[in-house]
Amino acid sequence: MATTKSSIIETRRDQMFPVLETDEIERMRRFGAPRSYSSGEVLAQAGKVSDGLTVILSGKVDVTQHAASGRGDLIVTHRAGSFMGELAQLSGRPALVDAQAQEPVDVLIIPPDRLRALLIAEAELGERIMRALILRRVGLLEIGSGGPVIIGRSENGDVLRLAGFLRRNGHPHQEVDPEIDPEARALIERFHIDSGHLPIVLCPSGQLLRNPSENELARCIGLVGPIDPNRVYDVVVVGAGPAGLAAAVYAGSEGLSVLVLDCRAFGGQAGASARIENYLGFPTGIAGIALMARAYNQAQKFGVEMAIPDEVLGLDYRADADDGCFALKLANNEQACARSVVIASGARYRRLPVNNLEKFEGASVHYWASPLEAKLCAGQEVALVGAGNSAGQAAVYLASQSAKVWLLVRGQNLESRMSRYLVDRIRGLSNVEVLTQATVTGLEDRDGVLEAVRWRQGLKGQEIRRAIRHLFLFIGAEPNTDWLSGSGVALDRKGFVLTGSDTIENRQPLETSRQGIFAIGDVRSGSVKRVAAAVGEGAQVVTLLHASLSQKLRAKQTGSRL
Ligand SMILES: Cc1cc2nc3c(=O)[nH]c(=O)nc-3n(C[C@H](O)[C@H](O)[C@H](O)COP(=O)(O)OP(=O)(O)OC[C@H]3O[C@@H](n4cnc5c(N)ncnc54)[C@H](O)[C@@H]3O)c2cc1C
């Protein structure tokens, strides 16, 4: 029997639209201000920043999906005791739905900063409200309501790029293909758009963008706003991966003013991981994006400001600003200033320059050799590329789990880059075959599944093809530190940021060669490349930030220079 997937709006309606008790509303009054609307008046409009979370005291309000022409489908009718709002109201971003009074209505409006204060002050009530806000966003994502409409062919690279950006940032959107959808065709004709200039994007505000960059799109839908160049934050965190988000949550929860900048999306590499199996407290594993979305929402609850996508191009010191500050130069020519900086810009695993590699990542191409991957290739032949210690350890481990490991080494031998003990161990394993001067030349698939790997030994060697369904890559990681050039922050030979006593004697553990600038997570020289390690460093750095900020304050009071 065919089963239909039920919508979250049906399955979790009670949690999504809870009705508050009279005494709970009374306790909420100190966070908001009363207001009245007459019948037919608009309380919220998609694309426009609303006043905040709206608790209905009396009357009836219809919340509908946004429709360019007329009234959209009804999502819910709020009555006395329920409240209107979703995650956008936590950070003062534009509404994703329309709302209209159906009769005279009295409400209590709680603006974003007061809502955050309420969530923290009222633990149990705050938890129920926060859960409702998150579930409502999930519901909007499910129906694709409230966000921009991307019009273009579904297989078009730019459609995929823009949709991918919105998906990674948890923003609802719709994709319409003019070859299938007559309304999309009519829109294109109305705006006289040549099919070669697609995709176009229609923002809820009515603004039309022609094949925009991610930054243009984010600005149009209010995901990022202008940064005040005169505001000096306690800390700016560069990178919203697990390290950056952890630093933001702990710094925000301890009352520091925090801005997080990321050039792509929240979650970093962890957000791209299909399943994280080794993060403490999740015995059945958790999708990377789900773990990171929780951290992202949590940071916003503590008042952390997010600017995504916003790429940092450089770091300087501005002596002219009040007490001096670090100035981060952004790709859109803006500037963000802070008393301290946390570098959490991570690293990217090196990829092989072979066609279609990305298509197989996650399922057949791995950058890890944990029991999970070993289970996938149990009893099969695998190929592993690399010659460092991580490649050696993975080869030894995989040899114990699989039929055979083909170890493809680009150089002349293993000894030049791998520890002697690993080389000896590999030599002693009968099911590991080391091929030197070997280069992967191609990947073959059948129905999207990796079926064979091709390689060549030496320039003139014959191309070998073997039926292999799992390829492991251990060819190193590159730090995202180009933006630090000229900043005075010392890097190691490979470009990772040096911290602690690796820079100057008696330096604080996560502090860089420049006082007040810290580095955490994968970007840090010698770090353990794990989600838990990144999160741990994010928490640890906050204590050091406090010490650094009080030192600055003391220096200011005594007039001494740091
Ligand atoms: C496919 C895959 C699977 C993984 N699976 C696991 C696992 O199961 N368990 C585990 O423990 N670890 C896993 N890892 C490793 C783990 O994801 C990383 O160790 C962790 O994400 C590092 O966190 P980070 O915050 O230091 O850096 P990152 O996650 O790399 O985040 C850095 C962020 O900085 C941003 N950034 C970079 N440069 C700039 C700039 N100039 N301006 C603004 N922003 C910038 C990037 O866009 C990125 O979002 C996996 C990694 C990958 C790639």
Side-chain angles (χ1 to χ4, degrees), residues 138 147 215:
V138 175
N215 197 287

Side-chain angles (χ1 to χ4, degrees), residues 3 30 57 136 201 219 244 266 318 330 351 444 461 536:
T3 53
R30 69 186 169 103
L57 302 173
R136 289 175 189 185
V201 180
R219 274 170 202 273
F266 68 78
R318 254 179 68 186
L330 309 182
R351 294 185 155 94
E444 293 177 16

